[in-house]
């Protein structure tokens, strides 16, 4: 048996880079023929190759040997990988004549977690209550929607905020993404260090591990959602066990490329470059969960780094927090190490938002002061009390200077947030809120 037959698939693919950047139709036809056989054995694969090619060239035997050496079982969930492996062997002529094409449906080989089994695109369409054309429309793999000039034909509504772009899916795509979140993504495990957008975890659990520490270090990930590429999302769905075509379509349903006319308003070339590529849209219901899942290795490596510095680590969305007994020089070395590791994982630290705070400073994480216990800063309480006093005098509508669509609900949420760790403050704010004339809230 040739040396190539003993190669692992990834090794053969690397060996073939440069000669075969992409599998040809001949490579794909051979891969499909191999996967369509009833038995994964040499004679069956040779016969399948003979049928597809109309002949049995000398190179077919070594190719079959290499395939059987690399794959002990048929890779029924990854026909593209098998085609690329065949191409990387360098034995099959790129312009190989194909006489018969054997179509073979993909199937799931192994599901890693308790998620719905989706063997092919027909199963995915049924799962999402869509027909094939509608599924392709929402996945937009041909980028019809991105290139459309008519806003009504686009799947996302784009709104620029000072430093980020909100890309909100329209109702029908949002419903599809919501189902994927509830029945697929919600069943995948996230790293214990991740606290944002995770059921049972929140800002309080994020800050809990850093209370009363000698030093608190906070770093911010720039353009967190936009930095998560479609290839990462595809890799996640493949890791979950979905066949290649299903994983590609799932990734397409959850990512987007920002239209060129929207990018003209980008605040920086760096952000525009990220948004120009397929990325997680900030505003889609699936994006927070996918960002957490795609950052699993980042969290694992940062947790290991924290242990090497004998400090604690947690993450809330794009906020990274470390705490423990650190001298000034050691804290700076930690920041430098985190910055390098984050870059190695495809993200970027925003140095303007990095903070190192000792016990004598105000240690601030995710809107809470954590020097002793998690609490909202006093000035935020004072601002909210002033708003409530003003609303009592001029009415809720006049006091709603930022144009909140439901100002009363907004105030109620802020009262719950500010007063959560201070019952006395909560009582005072609630009394002021109760005295307002709520029917004029809008």
């Amino acid at each position: 048996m040739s040396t190539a037959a003993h190669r692992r698939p990834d090794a053969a693919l690397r060996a073939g880079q440069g000669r075969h950047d992409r599998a040809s139709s001949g490579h794909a036809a051979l891969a499909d023929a191999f996967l369509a056989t009833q038995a994964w054995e040499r004679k069956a694969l040779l016969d399948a190759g003979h049928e597809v090619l109309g002949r049995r060239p000398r190179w077919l035997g070594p190719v079959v040997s290499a395939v059987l050496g690399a794959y002990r079982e048929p890779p029924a969930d990854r026909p593209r990988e098998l085609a690329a492996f065949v191409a990387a062997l360098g034995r099959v002529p790129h312009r190989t004549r194909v006489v018969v094409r054997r179509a073979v449906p993909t199937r799931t080989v192994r599901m890693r977690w308790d998620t719905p089994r989706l063997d092919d695109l027909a199963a995915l369409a049924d799962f999402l209550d869509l027909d094939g054309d509608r599924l392709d429309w929402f996945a937009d793999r041909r980028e019809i929607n991105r290139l459309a000039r008519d806003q009504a034909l686009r799947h996302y509504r784009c709104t620029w905020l000072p430093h980020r772009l909100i890309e909100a899916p329209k109702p029908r795509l949002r419903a599809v993404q919501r189902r994927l979140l509830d029945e697929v993504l919600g069943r995948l495990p996230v790293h214990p260090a991740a606290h944002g957008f995770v059921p049972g975890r929140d800002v309080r659990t994020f800050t809990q591990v850093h209370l009363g520490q000698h030093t608190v270090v906070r770093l911010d990930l720039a353009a967190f959602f936009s930095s998560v590429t479609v290839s990462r999302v595809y890799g996640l769905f493949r890791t979950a066990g979905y066949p290649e075509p299903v994983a590609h379509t799932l990734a397409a349903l959850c990512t987007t490329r920002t239209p060129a006319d929207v990018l003209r308003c980008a605040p920086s070339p760096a952000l525009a470059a990220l948004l120009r590529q397929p990325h997680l849209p900030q505003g889609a219901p699936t994006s927070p969960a996918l960002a957490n899942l795609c950052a699993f290795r980042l969290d694992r490596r940062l947790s290991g780094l924290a242990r090497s510095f004998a400090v604690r680590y947690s993450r809330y969305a794009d906020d990274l927090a470390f705490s423990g007994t650190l001298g000034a020089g050691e804290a700076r070395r930690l920041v430098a190490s985190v910055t390098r590791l984050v870059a190695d994982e495809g993200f970027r630290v925003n140095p303007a938002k990095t903070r190192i705070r000792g016990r004598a400073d105000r240690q601030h994480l995710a809107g809470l002061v954590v020097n002793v216990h998690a609490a909202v800063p006093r000035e935020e309480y004072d601002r909210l009390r002033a708003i409530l006093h003003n609303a009592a005098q001029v009415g809720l509508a006049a006091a709603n200077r930022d144009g909140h669509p439901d100002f009363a609900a907004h105030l109620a949420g802020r009262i719950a947030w500010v007063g959560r760790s201070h019952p006395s403050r909560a009582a005072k704010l609630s009394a002021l809120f109760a005295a307002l004339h709520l029917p004029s809230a809008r």
Side-chain angles (χ1 to χ4, degrees):
M1 187 176 292
S2 67
T3 303
H6 296 284
R7 293 177 180 166
R8 291 177 56 85
D10 53 352
L13 289 173
R14 288 195 298 271
Q17 287 176 357
R19 291 180 301 171
H20 298 280
D21 295 330
R22 174 175 293 182
S24 70
S25 60
H27 303 131
L30 274 176
D32 288 345
F34 294 159
L35 292 174
T37 57
Q38 296 296 318
W40 191 250
E41 59 187 22
R42 181 175 179 80
K43 183 180 184 306
L45 268 60
L46 286 172
D47 290 344
H50 188 180
E51 179 187 1
V52 166
L53 301 174
R55 59 193 179 93
R56 186 172 292 188
R58 291 182 179 180
W59 49 258
L60 182 59
V63 167
V64 168
S65 297
V67 168
L68 290 174
Y71 296 93
R72 294 190 177 186
E73 297 179 353
D77 61 334
R78 42 198 201 281
R80 293 185 184 183
E81 179 189 301
L82 181 58
F85 175 80
V86 171
L89 293 173
R91 292 181 175 272
V92 183
H94 199 69
R95 295 181 179 272
T96 298
R97 180 172 177 266
V98 175
V99 177
V100 176
R101 190 69 185 259
R102 299 181 68 179
V104 55
T106 57
R107 62 178 175 84
T108 302
V109 173
R110 181 178 67 91
M111 297 303 295
R112 189 168 182 179
W113 297 290
D114 182 25
T115 53
R117 180 186 176 108
L118 304 170
D119 287 327
D120 51 30
L121 293 183
L124 176 59
D126 289 343
F127 171 70
L128 296 174
D129 294 326
L130 301 171
D131 58 34
D133 290 340
R134 185 66 64 178
L135 177 63
D136 189 58
W137 168 254
F138 283 130
D140 195 29
R141 285 170 292 185
R142 290 175 292 176
E143 297 195 330
I144 296 174
N145 288 276
R146 176 178 179 267
L147 299 175
R149 295 185 179 182
D150 187 349
Q151 297 289 336
L153 297 178
R154 293 179 178 174
H155 289 320
Y156 291 85
R157 294 187 177 94
C158 300
T159 304
W160 278 106
L161 299 181
H163 300 292
R164 65 183 187 274
L165 176 65
I166 302 300
E167 296 173 292
K170 294 180 180 178
R172 288 182 294 178
L173 178 57
R174 175 176 287 274
V176 169
Q177 293 173 339
R178 174 59 64 180
R179 184 160 192 181
L180 292 176
L181 173 63
D182 293 341
E183 301 191 34
V184 178
L185 299 175
R187 301 183 183 185
L188 305 185
V190 299
H191 195 277
H195 292 262
F197 317 110
V198 180
R201 308 179 203 174
D202 56 16
V203 170
R204 303 285 171 169
T205 61
F206 165 65
T207 59
Q208 187 68 34
V209 298
H210 305 293
L211 299 180
Q213 295 297 305
H214 179 275
T215 304
V216 173
V217 179
R218 177 170 63 87
L219 302 96
D220 176 81
L221 297 178
F224 180 46
F225 287 167
S226 305
S227 298
V228 179
T229 62
V230 68
S231 60
R232 288 190 182 210
V233 178
Y234 166 75
L236 172 70
F237 286 121
R238 284 290 297 122
T239 299
Y242 289 109
E244 288 172 338
V246 175
H248 274 293
T249 303
L250 287 170
L253 290 170
C254 298
T255 58
T256 188
R257 291 180 65 185
T258 307
D261 59 310
V262 177
L263 289 177
R264 284 195 284 269
C265 300
S268 70
L271 180 56
L274 289 174
L275 296 173
R276 190 173 291 113
Q277 303 303 317
H279 61 275
L280 290 184
Q282 186 165 353
T286 46
S287 291
L290 281 169
N292 275 337
L293 293 165
C294 291
F296 190 98
R297 193 172 74 166
L298 172 68
D299 288 328
R300 185 177 61 190
R301 294 183 66 185
L302 288 177
S303 296
L305 180 66
R307 286 192 295 271
S308 71
F309 277 84
V311 297
R312 304 174 179 186
Y313 163 70
S314 65
R315 178 178 62 82
Y316 190 90
D318 54 2
D319 283 344
L320 311 179
F322 299 83
S323 67
T325 303
L326 291 168
E330 196 173 15
R332 289 192 294 270
R333 287 194 295 274
L334 172 63
V335 169
S337 297
V338 170
T339 301
R340 288 193 297 270
L341 191 154
V342 165
D344 189 51
E345 286 296 318
F347 297 97
R348 182 172 61 87
V349 167
N350 182 354
K353 294 187 177 181
T354 298
R355 299 289 184 270
I356 301 174
R357 294 292 182 262
R359 197 184 298 275
D361 305 314
R362 174 181 284 185
Q363 297 170 340
H364 201 266
L365 293 175
L368 297 176
V369 177
V370 298
N371 290 67
V372 180
H373 58 268
V376 174
R378 174 64 190 236
E379 54 266 27
E380 186 170 345
Y381 164 73
D382 290 339
R383 281 196 299 270
L384 181 55
R385 187 175 61 176
I387 291 172
L388 292 170
H389 276 298
N390 182 53
Q393 295 175 356
V394 302
L396 276 173
N400 186 13
R401 296 178 180 176
D402 293 330
H404 294 284
D406 190 341
F407 193 41
H410 169 75
L411 290 176
R414 288 188 62 183
I415 290 169
W417 166 252
V418 171
R420 183 171 178 178
S421 57
H422 283 276
S424 60
R425 290 182 181 178
K428 292 177 182 177
L429 294 173
S430 297
L432 291 171
F433 181 72
L436 299 178
H437 185 54
L438 293 183
S440 62
R442 293 182 184 272

